[in-house]
Amino acid sequence: MKISPLAAKICKAKGIDPAGLIGTGPGGRIMAADVKENAPTKQRSGTAIAEFALLPTRPQKDNYYVYDMSVDMAALGDISLPIAVQCEKLLENRYSVIDYITRAVIKAGLSAPSLQQYTEPADVLIFENSGEKRAAVTNAAKKNIFKISREAASGAPIPANYNPMFIVCDAHTSRACVAEHVEPGCRPLFAFVDRGNTPKERVRAGAAGMADYILSYTFYVHTSIPEAEANGVAANLHAMLYNPVRLLLLS
């Protein structure tokens, strides 16, 4: 039986016998998302909440829980081409992997139970190409992946004194660059940093190169979110990145 280390850890924590699971990874390998599909879930405001969690991978940093992860994005390449082509017809532009990642980060973050009554707009600030390309998506919780794609590509200026709930950027975007475009003292609740060394985010969804796309990332959750909830958010994010059907159905 083939099983990933993360899936084995989750099975042990939840008392799940992996022998009864069907693996969807390479060669039938059981992945973390396969365990999640068989774990009990509860429903909150239309978003599935995992009953298991990921633990921070290193000590807290600047009042953030830190999760270093890697995920195989091949599944997104497998299913996204027809969706991307339809998007291209409707919007004259295919959505990209960064749009998908952004939507996953938003949905995962808002799955935190303590945010169910949150009334502030869920704004997001996106940095690409070492911060040279920037996009602000306002009230992002109410926008599906196609609307996020269109707004991110519009080139609209970032609002003054912007205080986003989410920041998504590549590894080469400096803190100074982020600070330059947000309100002084801005402390987003969630930040996602792609740790890849190549600018693959702008790969259009459905591209052939996605078959070999392993996304390494660091996810930060502010400590104002209870740690147990933050661990659940991290698990939801990882599952949605690995299993695109889950996110696209929720979108």
Side-chain angles (χ1 to χ4, degrees):
M1 178 181 63
K2 298 180 180 179
I3 184 170
S4 74
L6 178 57
K9 182 177 180 180
I10 294 171
C11 285
K12 182 178 180 180
K14 301 303 294 184
I16 297 174
D17 182 1
L21 301 180
I22 298 175
T24 59
R29 190 182 196 198
I30 297 170
M31 309 298 289
D34 301 322
V35 182
K36 181 173 181 179
E37 293 295 339
N38 290 273
T41 60
K42 54 188 175 181
Q43 200 73 16
R44 294 180 184 269
S45 301
T47 302
I49 308 299
E51 289 291 349
F52 69 88
L54 296 179
L55 299 179
T57 54
R58 45 189 162 119
Q60 292 180 22
K61 181 177 181 181
D62 299 332
N63 295 317
Y64 284 92
Y65 306 112
V66 185
Y67 306 85
D68 297 302
M69 305 298 298
S70 293
V71 61
D72 187 343
M73 299 289 281
L76 179 61
D78 290 341
I79 74 161
S80 63
L81 183 56
I83 299 171
V85 169
Q86 183 65 21
C87 180
E88 191 172 44
K89 291 179 180 177
L90 295 174
L91 306 180
E92 299 181 355
N93 180 40
R94 289 189 191 179
Y95 72 88
S96 72
V97 177
I98 192 67
D99 302 320
Y100 175 83
I101 291 171
T102 299
R103 181 63 175 162
V105 170
I106 293 166
K107 294 297 290 186
L110 294 178
S111 72
S114 61
L115 296 183
Q116 296 306 303
Q117 305 302 320
Y118 196 82
T119 57
E120 296 296 319
D123 296 339
V124 59
L125 183 55
I126 305 168
F127 294 89
E128 297 180 77
N129 300 333
S130 303
E132 293 181 4
K133 183 172 183 178
R134 301 171 292 275
V137 180
T138 58
N139 206 12
K142 297 185 179 298
K143 295 172 180 174
N144 60 26
I145 192 169
F146 303 132
K147 290 182 179 178
I148 288 173
S149 176
R150 181 164 52 189
E151 193 164 329
S154 68
I158 297 172
N161 298 318
Y162 200 46
N163 191 13
M165 179 189 293
F166 302 91
I167 288 180
V168 177
C169 62
D170 61 27
H172 305 293
T173 301
S174 67
R175 287 192 176 189
C177 179
V178 174
E180 182 182 349
H181 295 91
V182 299
E183 181 180 273
C186 170
R187 303 291 287 175
L189 291 181
F190 308 96
F192 179 100
V193 181
D194 176 7
R195 293 300 183 190
N197 294 320
T198 56
K200 287 188 175 180
E201 289 85 358
R202 268 298 131 192
V203 171
R204 295 196 303 176
M210 289 188 63
D212 301 317
Y213 186 5
I214 303 297
L215 174 68
S216 297
Y217 66 89
T218 300
F219 184 50
Y220 299 89
V221 181
H222 197 269
T223 53
S224 59
I225 304 292
E227 184 170 1
E229 293 187 19
N231 294 342
V233 167
N236 273 326
L237 174 60
H238 193 76
M240 283 189 282
L241 291 174
Y242 175 76
N243 184 356
V245 174
R246 176 183 297 276
L247 178 64
L248 294 171
L249 287 176
L250 290 172
S251 295

